């Protein structure tokens, strides 16, 4: 077990909160840091309700180096799980400088402060967006990277490059890069889940808001792709499986690992229409939809080869599509306006 605390940056966000629950359940001491730009302290209260444990939480921004130093002075940190970052693809195309400054500049600050305090272990929340448009399917870790279609994806790719260079230059670093496919679902308690601000950018929160009456209908962008029903195919992974993948990565890192890369996905692709139909079944609510034109930067199909994570981390996704939809609907119907009390 780690000799010190696990610092979770962005720990009040969607994947962050679910990972904090799994870390606490696995017996780790956890500290959360989040600037609450796209999250709420209510999510941490809910984590404490689920686990029965208190979580030390700090509202610190990655661009505030002195704030980072103060946090590292207060706690003996063993490893940083780094989720914090801006993540809206469309916004990244409109405001690239903000994304590069926040995501890359903030990560460099964090790494410099870690080094000052002798903390050399990191698990980084990366993304399948680093693969760009797939050259082959399923995508394994040897697939070329860097052909990203938006600034958000490029920030994930550049941070991977920074961490790889750091491990090459300074051998005391242990880094695991986790490339996620599409996280969906929610904790089985219905207390925590995805709570996008404004109109959701991702498919499943959009569908669940249609089901709960917040949005009128689903817009399907493109039905002329080379896929079974013409709509885009993606690899959707239950957020709890994803969170457990981080715990498995931490156990691997504790043995010393240098720099390792793993895909976290199910290896199965589902189309937009299949997801809407599965959610209708899971929620018992109709999901009306209309077909619109393709979006710039979208690709036809993308799904993972996650065998390496199974072989080296002993991890595999266990929760199926029905469970993803049931858990998401429980969260959404219990929290129609998310963590906010008002509509």
């Amino acid at each position: 077990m780690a000799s010190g605390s696990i610092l979770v940056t962005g720990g009040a966000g969607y994947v962050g909160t679910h990972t904090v629950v799994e870390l606490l359940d696995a017996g780790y001491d956890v500290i959360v840091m989040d600037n609450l730009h796209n999250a709420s302290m209510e999510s941490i209260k809910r984590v404490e309700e689920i686990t029965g444990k208190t979580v030390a939480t700090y509202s610190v921004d990655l661009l505030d180096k002195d704030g980072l130093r103060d946090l590292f002075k207060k706690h003996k940190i063993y490893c940083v799980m780094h989720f914090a970052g801006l993540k809206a693809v469309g916004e990244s195309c409109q405001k690239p400088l903000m994304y590069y400054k926040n995501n890359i500049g903030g990560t460099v600050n964090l790494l410099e402060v870690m080094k000052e305090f002798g903390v050399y272990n990191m698990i980084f929340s990366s993304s399948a967006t680093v693969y760009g448009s797939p050259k082959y399917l399923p995508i394994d870790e040897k697939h070329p990277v860097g052909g990203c279609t938006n600034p958000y994806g490029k920030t994930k790719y550049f941070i991977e490059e920074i961490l790889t260079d750091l491990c090459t230059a300074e051998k005391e670093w242990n880094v695991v890069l986790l490339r996620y496919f599409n996280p969906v679902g929610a904790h089985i308690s219905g207390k925590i889940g995805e709570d996008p601000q404004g109109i959701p950018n991702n498919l499943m929160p959009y569908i669940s808001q249609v089901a709960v009456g917040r949005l009128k209908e689903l817009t399907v962008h493109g039905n002329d792709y080379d896929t079974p029903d013409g709509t885009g195919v993606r690899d959707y992974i239950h957020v709890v499986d994803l969170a457990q993948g981080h715990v498995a990565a931490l156990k691997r890192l504790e043995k010393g690992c240098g720099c390792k890369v793993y895909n976290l996905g199910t290896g199965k692709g589902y189309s937009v229409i299949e997801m809407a139909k599965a959610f209708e079944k899971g929620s018992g609510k109709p999901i009306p939809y209309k077909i619109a034109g393709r979006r710039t930067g979208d690709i036809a199909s993308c799904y993972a080869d996650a065998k390496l994570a199974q072989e080296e981390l002993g991890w595999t996704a266990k929760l199926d599509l029905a469970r993803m939809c049931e858990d998401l609907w429980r969260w959404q119907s219990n929290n129609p306006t998310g963590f906010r009390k008002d509509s």
Side-chain angles (χ1 to χ4, degrees), residues 197-279:
Q197 311 297 303
I199 302 293
N201 290 296
N202 297 328
L203 175 66
M204 291 310 280
Y206 203 106
I207 287 176
S208 69
Q209 289 192 16
V210 170
V212 87
R214 275 172 72 180
L215 295 169
K216 181 177 153 224
E217 63 187 356
L218 171 66
T219 302
V220 178
H221 294 282
N223 67 340
D224 57 351
Y225 286 105
D226 182 16
T227 62
D229 63 19
T231 64
V233 168
R234 298 290 181 272
D235 185 336
Y236 296 93
I237 174 172
H238 197 297
V239 67
V240 172
D241 277 332
L242 184 61
Q244 289 171 353
H246 289 74
V247 178
L250 180 55
K251 291 188 190 312
R252 174 74 184 83
L253 184 143
E254 286 167 2
K255 297 172 186 163
C257 65
C259 188
K260 301 291 287 186
V261 182
Y262 299 102
N263 284 338
L264 295 183
T266 66
K268 291 193 195 89
Y270 292 102
S271 75
V272 174
I273 300 294
E274 284 177 313
M275 295 303 284
K277 286 192 165 33
F279 198 80

Coordinates of all heavy atoms in Angstrom, one line a residue, residues 197-279:
Q197 N -22.3 21.4 -17.2 CA -22.9 22.7 -17.1 C -23.4 23.1 -18.5 O -22.7 23.0 -19.5 CB -21.8 23.7 -16.7 CG -21.0 23.3 -15.5 CD -21.9 23.1 -14.2 OE1 -22.5 24.1 -13.8 NE2 -21.9 22.0 -13.6
G198 N -24.6 23.7 -18.6 CA -25.2 24.1 -19.9 C -25.6 22.9 -20.7 O -25.8 21.8 -20.2
I199 N -25.6 23.0 -22.1 CA -26.0 21.9 -23.0 C -24.9 20.9 -23.0 O -23.7 21.2 -23.2 CB -26.2 22.4 -24.4 CG1 -27.3 23.5 -24.4 CG2 -26.6 21.3 -25.3 CD1 -28.7 23.1 -24.1
P200 N -25.2 19.6 -22.7 CA -24.2 18.6 -22.7 C -23.4 18.4 -24.0 O -24.0 18.5 -25.1 CB -24.9 17.3 -22.3 CG -26.2 17.7 -21.7 CD -26.5 19.0 -22.4
N201 N -22.1 18.2 -23.9 CA -21.3 18.0 -25.1 C -21.3 16.5 -25.5 O -21.1 16.1 -26.6 CB -19.9 18.4 -24.9 CG -19.7 19.9 -24.8 OD1 -20.0 20.6 -25.8 ND2 -19.3 20.4 -23.7
N202 N -21.6 15.6 -24.5 CA -21.5 14.2 -24.7 C -22.9 13.6 -24.9 O -23.9 14.0 -24.4 CB -20.7 13.5 -23.6 CG -19.3 14.0 -23.5 OD1 -18.7 14.3 -24.5 ND2 -18.8 14.1 -22.3
L203 N -22.9 12.4 -25.6 CA -24.1 11.8 -26.0 C -25.0 11.4 -24.8 O -26.2 11.8 -24.8 CB -23.9 10.6 -26.9 CG -25.1 9.7 -27.3 CD1 -26.0 10.5 -28.2 CD2 -24.6 8.4 -27.9
M204 N -24.5 10.6 -23.9 CA -25.4 10.0 -22.9 C -26.0 11.0 -21.9 O -27.2 10.9 -21.5 CB -24.7 8.9 -22.1 CG -24.4 7.7 -23.0 SD -25.9 7.1 -23.9 CE -26.7 6.2 -22.6
P205 N -25.2 12.1 -21.4 CA -25.9 13.1 -20.6 C -27.0 13.8 -21.4 O -28.0 14.1 -20.8 CB -24.8 14.0 -20.2 CG -23.5 13.3 -20.5 CD -23.8 12.3 -21.5
Y206 N -26.8 14.0 -22.7 CA -27.8 14.6 -23.5 C -29.1 13.7 -23.6 O -30.2 14.2 -23.3 CB -27.2 14.8 -24.9 CG -27.9 15.9 -25.7 CD1 -27.3 17.1 -25.9 CD2 -29.2 15.7 -26.2 CE1 -28.0 18.2 -26.6 CE2 -29.9 16.7 -26.9 CZ -29.3 18.0 -27.1 OH -29.9 19.0 -27.8
I207 N -28.9 12.4 -23.8 CA -30.0 11.5 -23.9 C -30.7 11.5 -22.5 O -32.0 11.5 -22.5 CB -29.5 10.1 -24.3 CG1 -29.1 10.0 -25.8 CG2 -30.6 9.0 -23.9 CD1 -28.5 8.7 -26.2
S208 N -30.0 11.4 -21.4 CA -30.7 11.4 -20.1 C -31.4 12.6 -19.8 O -32.5 12.6 -19.1 CB -29.7 11.0 -19.0 OG -28.8 12.1 -18.8
Q209 N -30.9 13.8 -20.3 CA -31.7 15.0 -20.1 C -32.9 15.1 -21.0 O -33.9 15.8 -20.6 CB -30.7 16.3 -20.3 CG -29.7 16.4 -19.2 CD -29.0 17.7 -19.2 OE1 -29.4 18.7 -19.9 NE2 -27.8 17.7 -18.5
V210 N -32.9 14.5 -22.1 CA -34.1 14.3 -22.9 C -35.1 13.5 -22.1 O -36.3 13.9 -22.0 CB -33.8 13.7 -24.3 CG1 -35.2 13.4 -25.0 CG2 -33.0 14.7 -25.2
A211 N -34.7 12.4 -21.6 CA -35.5 11.5 -20.9 C -36.2 12.1 -19.6 O -37.3 11.9 -19.3 CB -34.8 10.2 -20.4
V212 N -35.4 13.0 -19.0 CA -35.9 13.6 -17.8 C -36.7 14.9 -18.1 O -37.3 15.6 -17.2 CB -34.8 13.9 -16.8 CG1 -34.1 15.2 -17.0 CG2 -35.2 13.8 -15.3
G213 N -36.8 15.3 -19.3 CA -37.6 16.5 -19.7 C -36.9 17.8 -19.8 O -37.5 18.8 -20.0
R214 N -35.5 17.8 -19.6 CA -34.8 19.1 -19.7 C -34.5 19.5 -21.1 O -34.4 20.7 -21.4 CB -33.5 18.9 -18.9 CG -33.6 19.2 -17.4 CD -32.3 18.9 -16.7 NE -31.3 19.8 -16.9 CZ -30.1 19.7 -16.3 NH1 -29.8 18.7 -15.5 NH2 -29.2 20.6 -16.5
L215 N -34.4 18.5 -22.0 CA -34.2 18.8 -23.4 C -35.3 18.1 -24.2 O -35.8 17.1 -23.9 CB -32.8 18.3 -23.8 CG -31.6 19.0 -23.2 CD1 -30.3 18.3 -23.5 CD2 -31.5 20.5 -23.6
K216 N -35.6 18.8 -25.4 CA -36.8 18.3 -26.2 C -36.5 17.0 -26.9 O -37.3 16.1 -26.9 CB -37.2 19.4 -27.1 CG -38.4 19.1 -28.0 CD -38.7 20.3 -28.9 CE -39.4 19.8 -30.1 NZ -39.0 20.4 -31.3
E217 N -35.3 17.0 -27.6 CA -35.0 15.8 -28.4 C -33.5 15.7 -28.6 O -32.8 16.7 -28.4 CB -35.8 15.9 -29.8 CG -35.3 17.0 -30.6 CD -36.1 17.2 -31.9 OE1 -37.0 16.4 -32.2 OE2 -35.9 18.2 -32.6
L218 N -33.1 14.5 -29.0 CA -31.7 14.3 -29.3 C -31.4 14.7 -30.8 O -32.2 14.3 -31.7 CB -31.4 12.8 -29.1 CG -30.0 12.3 -29.6 CD1 -28.9 12.9 -28.7 CD2 -30.0 10.8 -29.5
T219 N -30.3 15.4 -31.0 CA -29.9 15.7 -32.3 C -28.8 14.7 -32.7 O -27.8 14.6 -32.0 CB -29.3 17.1 -32.5 OG1 -30.3 18.0 -32.1 CG2 -28.9 17.4 -33.9
V220 N -29.0 13.9 -33.7 CA -28.1 12.9 -34.2 C -27.3 13.5 -35.3 O -27.8 13.8 -36.4 CB -28.8 11.6 -34.7 CG1 -27.7 10.6 -35.2 CG2 -29.6 11.0 -33.5
H221 N -26.0 13.7 -35.1 CA -25.1 14.4 -36.1 C -24.6 13.3 -37.1 O -23.6 12.7 -36.9 CB -24.0 15.1 -35.4 CG -24.5 16.2 -34.6 ND1 -24.8 17.5 -35.1 CD2 -24.7 16.3 -33.2 CE1 -25.2 18.3 -34.1 NE2 -25.1 17.6 -33.0
G222 N -25.3 13.2 -38.2 CA -24.8 12.3 -39.3 C -25.4 10.9 -39.2 O -25.3 10.3 -38.2
N223 N -26.1 10.5 -40.3 CA -26.5 9.1 -40.4 C -26.1 8.4 -41.7 O -26.7 7.5 -42.2 CB -28.1 9.0 -40.2 CG -28.8 9.7 -41.4 OD1 -28.2 10.4 -42.2 ND2 -30.0 9.3 -41.6
D224 N -24.9 9.0 -42.2 CA -24.4 8.5 -43.4 C -23.0 8.0 -43.3 O -22.2 8.0 -44.3 CB -24.5 9.5 -44.5 CG -23.8 10.8 -44.1 OD1 -23.4 11.0 -43.0 OD2 -23.6 11.7 -45.0
Y225 N -22.6 7.6 -42.1 CA -21.2 7.0 -41.8 C -21.2 5.6 -42.3 O -22.3 4.9 -42.4 CB -20.9 7.1 -40.3 CG -20.5 8.5 -39.9 CD1 -21.4 9.2 -39.1 CD2 -19.3 9.1 -40.2 CE1 -21.1 10.5 -38.6 CE2 -19.0 10.4 -39.7 CZ -19.9 11.1 -38.9 OH -19.6 12.3 -38.5
D226 N -20.0 5.1 -42.5 CA -19.9 3.7 -42.9 C -19.9 2.8 -41.6 O -19.0 2.3 -41.1 CB -18.6 3.5 -43.6 CG -18.4 2.0 -44.1 OD1 -19.4 1.3 -44.1 OD2 -17.2 1.6 -44.4
T227 N -21.1 2.7 -41.1 CA -21.4 1.9 -39.8 C -22.7 1.2 -40.1 O -23.5 1.5 -41.0 CB -21.6 2.8 -38.6 OG1 -22.7 3.7 -38.8 CG2 -20.3 3.7 -38.3
P228 N -23.0 0.2 -39.2 CA -24.3 -0.6 -39.5 C -25.5 0.2 -39.7 O -26.4 -0.1 -40.5 CB -24.3 -1.5 -38.3 CG -22.9 -1.7 -37.8 CD -22.2 -0.4 -38.2
D229 N -25.7 1.3 -38.9 CA -27.0 2.0 -39.1 C -26.7 3.5 -39.5 O -27.6 4.3 -39.5 CB -27.8 2.0 -37.8 CG -27.1 2.7 -36.6 OD1 -26.2 3.5 -36.8 OD2 -27.6 2.4 -35.5
G230 N -25.4 3.7 -39.9 CA -25.1 5.1 -40.5 C -24.7 6.1 -39.4 O -24.2 7.2 -39.8
T231 N -24.9 5.8 -38.1 CA -24.6 6.7 -37.0 C -23.2 6.3 -36.4 O -22.8 5.2 -36.5 CB -25.7 6.9 -36.0 OG1 -25.8 5.6 -35.3 CG2 -27.0 7.3 -36.6
G232 N -22.6 7.3 -35.8 CA -21.2 7.1 -35.2 C -21.2 6.0 -34.2 O -22.1 5.9 -33.3
V233 N -20.1 5.2 -34.2 CA -19.9 4.1 -33.3 C -18.8 4.5 -32.3 O -17.7 4.9 -32.7 CB -19.6 2.8 -34.0 CG1 -19.1 1.7 -33.1 CG2 -20.9 2.3 -34.8
R234 N -19.1 4.3 -31.0 CA -18.0 4.6 -30.0 C -18.0 3.4 -28.9 O -19.0 2.7 -28.8 CB -18.4 5.9 -29.3 CG -18.3 7.1 -30.2 CD -17.0 7.5 -30.6 NE -17.0 8.7 -31.5 CZ -17.2 8.7 -32.8 NH1 -17.4 7.5 -33.4 NH2 -17.1 9.8 -33.5
D235 N -16.9 3.4 -28.2 CA -16.7 2.4 -27.1 C -17.1 3.1 -25.8 O -16.4 4.1 -25.3 CB -15.2 2.0 -27.1 CG -14.9 0.9 -26.1 OD1 -15.6 0.8 -25.1 OD2 -13.9 0.3 -26.3
Y236 N -18.2 2.7 -25.2 CA -18.7 3.3 -24.0 C -18.3 2.4 -22.8 O -18.6 1.2 -22.8 CB -20.2 3.5 -24.0 CG -20.7 4.5 -25.1 CD1 -21.0 4.0 -26.4 CD2 -20.7 5.8 -24.9 CE1 -21.3 4.9 -27.4 CE2 -21.0 6.7 -25.9 CZ -21.4 6.3 -27.1 OH -21.7 7.2 -28.1
I237 N -17.7 3.1 -21.8 CA -17.3 2.3 -20.6 C -17.9 2.9 -19.4 O -18.0 4.1 -19.2 CB -15.7 2.4 -20.5 CG1 -15.2 1.7 -19.2 CG2 -15.2 3.8 -20.6 CD1 -13.7 1.5 -19.1
H238 N -18.4 2.0 -18.5 CA -19.1 2.4 -17.2 C -18.0 3.2 -16.4 O -16.9 2.7 -16.2 CB -19.6 1.2 -16.5 CG -20.6 1.6 -15.4 ND1 -20.3 2.4 -14.3 CD2 -21.9 1.3 -15.3 CE1 -21.4 2.5 -13.6 NE2 -22.4 1.9 -14.2
V239 N -18.4 4.3 -15.8 CA -17.5 5.1 -15.1 C -16.9 4.4 -13.9 O -15.8 4.7 -13.4 CB -18.1 6.5 -14.7 CG1 -19.3 6.3 -13.7 CG2 -17.1 7.5 -14.2
V240 N -17.6 3.5 -13.3 CA -17.1 2.7 -12.1 C -16.0 1.7 -12.6 O -15.0 1.6 -11.9 CB -18.3 2.0 -11.4 CG1 -17.7 1.0 -10.3 CG2 -19.2 3.0 -10.8
D241 N -16.2 1.1 -13.7 CA -15.1 0.3 -14.3 C -13.9 1.1 -14.6 O -12.8 0.7 -14.3 CB -15.6 -0.4 -15.7 CG -16.4 -1.6 -15.5 OD1 -16.2 -2.3 -14.5 OD2 -17.2 -1.9 -16.4
L242 N -14.1 2.3 -15.1 CA -13.0 3.2 -15.4 C -12.3 3.6 -14.1 O -11.0 3.6 -14.0 CB -13.5 4.5 -16.1 CG -12.5 5.5 -16.5 CD1 -11.6 4.9 -17.6 CD2 -13.3 6.7 -17.1
A243 N -13.1 3.9 -13.0 CA -12.5 4.3 -11.7 C -11.7 3.1 -11.2 O -10.5 3.3 -10.6 CB -13.6 4.7 -10.8
Q244 N -12.2 1.9 -11.3 CA -11.4 0.7 -10.8 C -10.2 0.5 -11.6 O -9.2 0.0 -11.1 CB -12.3 -0.5 -10.9 CG -13.4 -0.4 -9.8 CD -14.5 -1.5 -9.9 OE1 -14.5 -2.3 -10.8 NE2 -15.4 -1.5 -8.9
G245 N -10.2 0.9 -12.9 CA -8.9 0.9 -13.7 C -7.8 1.8 -13.1 O -6.6 1.4 -13.2
H246 N -8.2 2.9 -12.5 CA -7.2 3.8 -11.8 C -6.6 3.1 -10.6 O -5.4 3.3 -10.3 CB -7.9 5.1 -11.5 CG -8.1 5.9 -12.7 ND1 -9.2 5.7 -13.5 CD2 -7.5 7.0 -13.2 CE1 -9.2 6.5 -14.5 NE2 -8.2 7.4 -14.3
V247 N -7.4 2.4 -9.8 CA -6.9 1.7 -8.7 C -6.0 0.6 -9.1 O -4.9 0.4 -8.5 CB -8.1 1.1 -7.8 CG1 -7.5 0.3 -6.6 CG2 -9.0 2.2 -7.3
A248 N -6.3 -0.1 -10.2 CA -5.4 -1.2 -10.7 C -4.1 -0.6 -11.2 O -3.0 -1.1 -11.0 CB -6.1 -1.9 -11.9
A249 N -4.2 0.6 -11.8 CA -3.0 1.3 -12.3 C -2.1 1.7 -11.1 O -0.9 1.6 -11.2 CB -3.4 2.5 -13.1
L250 N -2.7 2.2 -10.0 CA -2.0 2.6 -8.8 C -1.2 1.4 -8.2 O -0.1 1.5 -7.8 CB -2.9 3.2 -7.8 CG -2.3 3.7 -6.5 CD1 -1.2 4.7 -6.7 CD2 -3.4 4.3 -5.6
K251 N -1.9 0.2 -8.2 CA -1.2 -1.0 -7.7 C 0.0 -1.4 -8.5 O 1.0 -1.8 -8.0 CB -2.2 -2.1 -7.6 CG -3.3 -1.9 -6.5 CD -4.1 -3.2 -6.3 CE -5.4 -2.9 -5.5 NZ -5.2 -2.2 -4.2
R252 N -0.1 -1.2 -9.9 CA 1.0 -1.4 -10.8 C 2.1 -0.4 -10.5 O 3.3 -0.8 -10.5 CB 0.5 -1.3 -12.2 CG 1.5 -1.4 -13.3 CD 2.0 -2.9 -13.5 NE 3.1 -3.0 -14.5 CZ 4.3 -2.8 -14.2 NH1 4.7 -2.4 -13.0 NH2 5.2 -3.0 -15.2
L253 N 1.7 0.8 -10.4 CA 2.7 1.9 -10.1 C 3.5 1.7 -8.9 O 4.7 2.0 -8.8 CB 2.0 3.2 -10.1 CG 2.9 4.5 -10.0 CD1 2.2 5.6 -10.9 CD2 2.9 5.0 -8.6
E254 N 2.8 1.1 -7.8 CA 3.5 0.9 -6.5 C 4.7 0.0 -6.6 O 5.6 0.0 -5.8 CB 2.5 0.4 -5.5 CG 1.5 1.4 -5.0 CD 0.3 0.9 -4.3 OE1 0.2 -0.4 -4.1 OE2 -0.5 1.7 -3.9
K255 N 4.7 -0.9 -7.7 CA 5.8 -1.8 -7.9 C 7.0 -1.2 -8.7 O 8.0 -1.8 -8.9 CB 5.3 -3.0 -8.7 CG 4.3 -3.8 -7.9 CD 3.7 -4.9 -8.8 CE 2.6 -5.6 -8.1 NZ 1.8 -6.4 -9.0
G256 N 6.8 0.1 -9.2 CA 7.7 0.8 -10.0 C 7.5 0.4 -11.5 O 7.4 -0.8 -11.8
C257 N 7.3 1.4 -12.3 CA 6.9 1.0 -13.7 C 7.5 1.9 -14.8 O 7.2 1.6 -16.0 CB 5.3 1.1 -13.8 SG 4.7 2.7 -13.6
G258 N 8.2 2.9 -14.5 CA 8.7 3.8 -15.5 C 7.5 4.5 -16.1 O 6.7 5.0 -15.4
C259 N 7.4 4.5 -17.4 CA 6.3 5.2 -18.1 C 5.5 4.1 -18.9 O 6.0 3.5 -19.8 CB 6.8 6.2 -19.1 SG 5.4 7.2 -19.7
K260 N 4.2 3.9 -18.5 CA 3.4 2.9 -19.1 C 2.1 3.5 -19.6 O 1.6 4.5 -19.1 CB 3.0 1.8 -18.1 CG 4.1 1.1 -17.4 CD 4.9 0.2 -18.3 CE 4.1 -1.1 -18.7 NZ 4.9 -2.0 -19.5
V261 N 1.6 2.9 -20.7 CA 0.3 3.4 -21.4 C -0.7 2.3 -21.4 O -0.3 1.2 -21.8 CB 0.6 3.9 -22.8 CG1 -0.6 4.4 -23.5 CG2 1.7 4.9 -22.9
Y262 N -1.9 2.6 -21.1 CA -3.0 1.6 -21.1 C -4.3 2.2 -21.7 O -4.7 3.3 -21.3 CB -3.3 1.0 -19.8 CG -2.1 0.3 -19.1 CD1 -1.4 0.9 -18.1 CD2 -1.8 -1.0 -19.6 CE1 -0.3 0.2 -17.6 CE2 -0.7 -1.6 -19.0 CZ 0.1 -1.0 -18.0 OH 1.1 -1.7 -17.4
N263 N -4.9 1.5 -22.6 CA -6.3 1.8 -23.0 C -7.3 1.3 -21.9 O -7.1 0.2 -21.4 CB -6.7 1.1 -24.3 CG -6.0 1.8 -25.5 OD1 -5.6 2.9 -25.5 ND2 -5.9 1.0 -26.6
L264 N -8.3 2.1 -21.6 CA -9.4 1.7 -20.8 C -10.7 1.8 -21.6 O -11.2 2.9 -21.8 CB -9.5 2.5 -19.5 CG -8.3 2.3 -18.5 CD1 -8.5 3.1 -17.2 CD2 -8.0 0.9 -18.1
G265 N -11.2 0.7 -22.0 CA -12.4 0.6 -22.8 C -13.0 -0.8 -22.7 O -12.4 -1.7 -22.0
T266 N -14.1 -1.0 -23.4 CA -14.7 -2.4 -23.3 C -14.3 -3.2 -24.5 O -14.5 -4.4 -24.5 CB -16.2 -2.3 -23.3 OG1 -16.7 -1.7 -24.6 CG2 -16.7 -1.4 -22.2
G267 N -13.9 -2.6 -25.6 CA -13.6 -3.3 -26.9 C -14.8 -3.5 -27.7 O -14.8 -4.1 -28.8
K268 N -16.0 -3.0 -27.2 CA -17.2 -3.1 -28.0 C -17.7 -1.7 -28.5 O -17.6 -0.7 -27.7 CB -18.4 -3.6 -27.2 CG -18.2 -5.1 -26.8 CD -19.6 -5.6 -26.2 CE -19.4 -6.9 -25.4 NZ -19.0 -6.7 -24.0
G269 N -18.2 -1.6 -29.7 CA -18.7 -0.3 -30.2 C -20.2 -0.3 -30.3 O -20.8 -1.3 -30.7
Y270 N -20.8 0.8 -29.9 CA -22.2 0.9 -30.1 C -22.5 2.2 -30.8 O -21.9 3.3 -30.6 CB -22.9 1.0 -28.7 CG -22.9 -0.3 -27.9 CD1 -22.0 -0.5 -26.9 CD2 -23.8 -1.3 -28.2 CE1 -21.9 -1.7 -26.2 CE2 -23.7 -2.5 -27.5 CZ -22.8 -2.7 -26.5 OH -22.8 -3.9 -25.8
S271 N -23.5 2.2 -31.7 CA -23.9 3.4 -32.4 C -24.8 4.4 -31.6 O -25.3 4.0 -30.5 CB -24.6 3.0 -33.7 OG -26.0 2.7 -33.4
V272 N -24.9 5.6 -32.1 CA -25.7 6.6 -31.4 C -27.2 6.1 -31.3 O -27.8 6.2 -30.2 CB -25.7 7.9 -32.2 CG1 -26.7 8.9 -31.6 CG2 -24.3 8.5 -32.3
I273 N -27.7 5.5 -32.3 CA -29.1 5.0 -32.3 C -29.2 3.8 -31.3 O -30.2 3.7 -30.5 CB -29.6 4.5 -33.7 CG1 -29.5 5.7 -34.7 CG2 -31.0 3.9 -33.6 CD1 -30.5 6.8 -34.4
E274 N -28.2 2.9 -31.3 CA -28.2 1.8 -30.3 C -28.2 2.3 -28.9 O -28.9 1.8 -28.0 CB -27.0 0.9 -30.6 CG -27.1 0.0 -31.8 CD -25.8 -0.8 -32.0 OE1 -24.7 -0.3 -31.9 OE2 -26.0 -2.1 -32.2
M275 N -27.4 3.4 -28.6 CA -27.4 3.9 -27.3 C -28.7 4.6 -26.9 O -29.2 4.4 -25.8 CB -26.3 5.0 -27.2 CG -24.9 4.4 -27.4 SD -24.4 3.1 -26.2 CE -24.1 4.0 -24.7
A276 N -29.4 5.3 -27.8 CA -30.7 5.9 -27.5 C -31.7 4.8 -27.2 O -32.5 4.9 -26.3 CB -31.1 6.7 -28.7
K277 N -31.7 3.7 -28.0 CA -32.6 2.6 -27.8 C -32.4 1.9 -26.5 O -33.3 1.5 -25.7 CB -32.6 1.6 -29.0 CG -33.2 2.1 -30.2 CD -33.4 1.0 -31.3 CE -34.3 1.4 -32.4 NZ -34.4 2.8 -32.8
A278 N -31.1 1.7 -26.2 CA -30.7 1.0 -24.9 C -31.2 1.9 -23.7 O -31.7 1.4 -22.7 CB -29.2 0.8 -24.8
F279 N -31.1 3.2 -23.9 CA -31.5 4.1 -22.8 C -33.0 4.1 -22.6 O -33.6 4.2 -21.5 CB -31.0 5.5 -22.9 CG -31.0 6.3 -21.6 CD1 -30.0 6.1 -20.7 CD2 -32.1 7.1 -21.4 CE1 -30.1 6.8 -19.5 CE2 -32.1 7.8 -20.2 CZ -31.1 7.6 -19.2

